[in-house]
Amino acid sequence: MGFSTTHLIIFLVIIIVIFGTKKLRNIGSDLGGAVKGFKDGMKDGTDRAADASAAPAQQVGTAGTAAKETIDVEAKTKV
């Protein structure tokens, strides 16, 4: 009790008559843009995860320079 090729062709013709080719083209391009955005988001997510694992190594290297620039507030006296 499945669909045959003839059923699918009739179904597609009815869909084209109802929506029109321009509307179907817009729906197709919107769907393609959504899939592309999803793939880019997934790729950015893996890049961010790799950056997050590399971030502690960068903070350790900059800790020495940050200590030289730190001002001890309690040791400073007002004149």
Side-chain angles (χ1 to χ4, degrees):
M1 180 107 185
F3 290 112
S4 67
T5 307
T6 310
H7 288 108
L8 292 175
I9 291 173
I10 292 170
F11 179 73
L12 288 174
V13 168
I14 292 171
I15 294 295
I16 289 173
V17 167
I18 291 173
F19 291 110
T21 56
K22 186 174 182 180
K23 186 101 169 176
L24 290 176
R25 192 174 329 138
N26 289 341
I27 291 172
S29 65
D30 290 343
L31 184 63
V35 170
K36 182 179 179 186
F38 178 76
K39 286 182 181 179
D40 289 344
M42 292 298 290
K43 188 179 357 173
D44 288 346
T46 30
D47 290 346
R48 288 181 187 161
D51 291 344
S53 65
Q58 293 173 351
Q59 291 176 352
V60 171
T62 59
T65 58
K68 293 177 184 176
E69 297 173 3
T70 305
I71 298 174
D72 189 6
V73 178
E74 293 179 15
K76 194 174 188 181
T77 57
K78 290 185 178 181
V79 179

